[in-house]
Amino acid sequence: GVEALTGLGVLPRAMAALGGYRCIECNGEATELYRDYQRGVLRISICKSCQKPVDKYIEYDPVIILINAVLCKAQAYRHILFNTKINIHGKLCVFCLLCEAYIRWLQLQDSSQNPDPDDLIRYAKEWDFYRMFGIASLEQTSFFIGIFITLWWMTPEMLKRKSDFILLLKALLLSTYGKLLLIPAVIWEHDYTPLCLAFIKVFVLISNSQAIRVTLNLNRILPWFAIFFGLILENGVVCLFWKMGWDV
């Protein structure tokens, strides 16, 4: 409807004049998502390549879009990455890292419980949390570096410009939203919590793969190959921390 098309934070009319959109069905370029005929009459643009609506999601409720993104639908990812103006990837990344650091810190406290309420002990525990945050940040950075190196090596023509790197980084950061599920998994702790954490890890990797595939318009194999190399580099950093005697 009209309200969905012109809703705040989704499609300001100024954006429609800029162009640079993508068809969510065939990934073809489009100059506009809808045409305004004035007096509240709007019409969704039709893709010249596939003859389908360029972006049907501009009429959808944000909850429906979120559900489709959770289901890892390529159309929902294209809508979010190319046809909306979302700048929460930095904040989302920090919050996800805080969640992961909290989980690691909690597990570390469970393995080394100390009832002493001394201020020095409390300070040490607080420092452990900061250390877990730093380790989680380094691991994620190495994971992304492994992905970028692999993609640059396999498809150098895809990452020629700085904007291509920025778009892919933004897509990877947004696709880590699954880590937010770590907190509920720990709050409602039960015997299957380790299994839940493993499923969350797999879900995040699937989201990363879909983000790479949609951003660079690749097949399904190459993104997984890049993720596999990223995991190797990330585990290499973990092994380095273990050799240094750090609990991760």
Side-chain angles (χ1 to χ4, degrees):
V2 175
E3 294 81 1
L5 285 168
T6 57
L8 292 175
V10 180
L11 280 177
R13 287 183 58 184
M15 287 181 61
L18 298 176
Y21 300 113
R22 297 285 183 89
C23 173
I24 64 171
E25 301 293 341
C26 67
N27 202 44
E29 294 184 358
T31 57
E32 59 183 6
L33 299 180
Y34 65 91
R35 184 159 296 181
D36 189 350
Y37 291 97
Q38 304 300 327
R39 297 181 180 179
V41 179
L42 302 174
R43 181 181 178 184
I44 298 178
S45 300
I46 302 299
C47 178
K48 296 179 180 179
S49 300
C50 64
Q51 301 303 314
K52 294 181 180 180
V54 172
D55 192 344
K56 63 183 180 182
Y57 285 114
I58 60 177
E59 288 190 307
Y60 284 31
D61 188 90
V63 176
I64 303 298
I65 298 173
L66 179 61
I67 292 174
N68 281 264
V70 170
L71 295 175
C72 291
K73 288 191 175 182
Q75 293 89 339
Y77 274 72
R78 291 191 183 103
H79 167 78
I80 294 171
L81 293 174
F82 299 120
N83 299 338
T84 59
K85 198 172 184 179
I86 296 179
N87 293 313
I88 63 169
H89 48 283
K91 296 178 181 178
L92 180 63
C93 174
V94 172
F95 191 71
C96 288
L97 288 173
L98 287 172
C99 292
E100 190 167 354
Y102 174 74
I103 299 302
R104 297 185 181 198
W105 177 80
L106 203 60
Q107 293 174 341
L108 184 64
Q109 301 310 311
D110 290 341
S111 62
S112 58
Q113 291 183 353
N114 192 327
D116 192 346
D118 187 80
D119 289 339
L120 183 61
I121 299 298
R122 286 198 295 268
Y123 175 78
K125 290 183 177 181
E126 182 179 350
W127 171 249
D128 284 337
F129 176 78
Y130 298 142
R131 182 165 59 89
M132 291 297 106
F133 179 81
I135 292 174
S137 301
L138 287 175
E139 288 180 10
Q140 180 163 294
T141 300
S142 61
F143 176 66
F144 286 167
I145 289 175
I147 290 176
F148 277 104
I149 290 175
T150 305
L151 293 174
W152 182 80
W153 176 55
M154 298 293 292
T155 58
E157 69 280 358
M158 294 285 184
L159 298 171
K160 288 183 178 180
R161 299 171 298 178
K162 180 181 178 181
S163 58
D164 297 329
F165 281 95
I166 294 175
L167 180 61
L168 181 56
L169 178 60
K170 177 181 177 180
L172 287 171
L173 292 176
L174 289 175
S175 63
T176 59
Y177 68 92
K179 290 184 178 181
L180 299 177
L181 298 173
L182 291 171
I183 297 298
V186 173
I187 292 176
W188 293 303
E189 186 176 3
H190 49 72
D191 295 337
Y192 299 103
T193 296
L195 183 61
C196 291
L197 297 179
F199 276 124
I200 291 172
K201 177 69 173 179
V202 172
F203 174 73
V204 171
L205 293 178
I206 293 174
S207 299
N208 294 152
S209 173
Q210 192 71 311
I212 297 171
R213 176 173 170 251
V214 167
T215 304
L216 301 180
N217 197 27
L218 300 173
N219 56 33
R220 297 179 182 274
I221 298 177
L222 187 54
W224 278 111
F225 184 77
I227 286 175
F228 177 73
F229 189 79
L231 287 174
I232 292 177
L233 195 59
E234 179 183 349
N235 288 323
V237 173
V238 173
C239 291
L240 179 62
F241 287 138
W242 279 345
K243 288 185 177 180
M244 293 172 61
W246 289 11
D247 293 324
V248 296

